[in-house]
Amino acid sequence: MKLAPQLEAFTEDALANGAPAVVFHVRDGDREELRATGVNDLETNRKAVATDKIWIIGAGTPMVAVSMMKLVGAGTVRLDDPVSTHLPEFTTIFPAWDRVTVRDLLGSTSGLPDYFPPLIEARTLDDLQTRALTFEERLRIAAGVDLPPGPVSYFVWSATDWEVLGWLLERKHNRPLAEILAGDVFEPAGMGSTRLASPGQPPEPMLHGYVLEEDGNRRDFTRVDAVAGSADSGVISTVEDLAKFLAALTTGQLLSEATWTSMIEAEPSSLGGIRPSDDICPGSRHVIMSGGGGPYSVQSIVSEDGRQQVTMATVLPPRELKVADAPPLVPEMEDAILQTARSLCG
């Protein structure tokens, strides 16, 4: 019996509509399927394989959260500490935001402006691909957006939250974020193909993503130095490694049970860029992790015991980077993943 007919149907439709590649991983206890379809890049048409790496834009934030929660567990940082307690530069850049806490950043209730839209709007594609940014530069871009000072009482996603957390982690550890994540997350979870990207060409083999230039020409957008080293968008991984991460996170391999519970049951929203769901299988809880931006979209759903998992990455059809609405394939992909997760209910 096939594990994932819904994902196979989505894959066929995605490729027919111009997606270069789709990779998915499904596990149901001891049964497992890992498959790649499409091409690694549109220049050579080399066949995509499941071990090809991909930008996981945004889906790296739970990994940053693990490192921060380790500091919380050690008593080095408290969730209700004002950010400026540990990173005085924060209130230099955002002087009216002194009430924002570490909890607000992890729970997306800071209300901070998202640096990403103004970055994309202001920079050329050449700049985005070849000019690296520091955490401070990303925060200063966000500070140029006029919003009432937070925090707020509701969930509102902002990539800036994670850039603050990345900077704070480096300050407390006195080490680069790449080393911190490797020691706290990638190595203990067995994620051998995952890293925080450096400026320059990403490590091959990558699934190449593409955007359309203003004249309609296709442009390889696999190198993006603007997000290299970013705590929000800078992680390069594989579908299999994403599955390993969520399994390790939910089964106590990365954090204590008490710390994990405090993250998943936090109000008004869970901490760490993940969301719990009690609506997939009766009587059990699942955890959902999503990411995407530009030419990439990824999502993973795992049962809290780690036994059922569905993870998918799609390289989306080329389109202009500055288009704000989600590509049509994204909700279709999310629906196929959800259907597959429900089909695994015991």
Side-chain angles (χ1 to χ4, degrees), residues 24-72:
F24 67 78
H25 171 269
V26 182
R27 185 159 61 82
D28 183 18
D30 295 332
R31 296 193 303 155
E32 191 170 20
E33 186 172 354
L34 178 63
R35 183 181 303 182
T37 309
V39 297
N40 169 282
D41 72 85
L42 295 174
E43 278 68 45
T44 68
N45 284 323
R46 185 182 76 82
K47 186 177 179 180
V49 296
T51 53
D52 286 343
K53 293 179 282 293
I54 189 170
W55 289 96
I56 62 168
I57 313 292
T61 56
M63 303 169 195
V64 174
V66 166
S67 286
M68 185 54 62
M69 293 303 293
K70 284 181 175 290
L71 290 184
V72 172

Side-chain angles (χ1 to χ4, degrees), residues 54-199:
I54 189 170
W55 289 96
I56 62 168
I57 313 292
T61 56
M63 303 169 195
V64 174
V66 166
S67 286
M68 185 54 62
M69 293 303 293
K70 284 181 175 290
L71 290 184
V72 172
T76 306
V77 173
R78 293 177 300 177
L79 286 174
D80 293 317
D81 286 345
V83 175
S84 56
T85 301
H86 305 285
L87 191 68
E89 294 92 336
F90 175 72
T91 44
T92 301
I93 300 170
F94 293 100
W97 299 70
D98 56 306
R99 294 190 301 115
V100 170
T101 66
V102 174
R103 185 190 301 275
D104 291 322
L105 299 176
L106 287 165
S108 296
T109 57
S110 74
L112 284 167
D114 191 332
Y115 82 92
F116 224 91
L119 170 68
I120 291 174
E121 189 62 35
R123 302 293 171 89
T124 65
L125 293 179
D126 283 340
D127 280 344
L128 292 172
Q129 292 203 267
T130 60
R131 182 181 168 188
L133 297 170
T134 65
F135 292 125
E136 181 175 357
E137 286 174 318
R138 296 186 184 105
L139 266 61
R140 291 195 179 278
I141 292 170
V145 179
D146 186 20
L147 282 181
V152 296
S153 59
Y154 49 88
F155 178 96
V156 54
W157 182 264
S158 173
T160 308
D161 291 339
W162 301 95
E163 302 310 310
V164 179
L165 287 166
W167 197 0
L168 197 159
L169 280 167
E170 288 197 343
R171 178 63 50 81
K172 302 307 288 186
H173 283 276
N174 197 29
R175 288 188 293 141
L177 183 61
E179 293 181 13
I180 298 166
L181 292 178
D184 285 348
V185 182
F186 306 155
E187 292 166 8
M191 299 164 66
S193 296
T194 303
R195 69 187 69 189
L196 188 70
S198 306

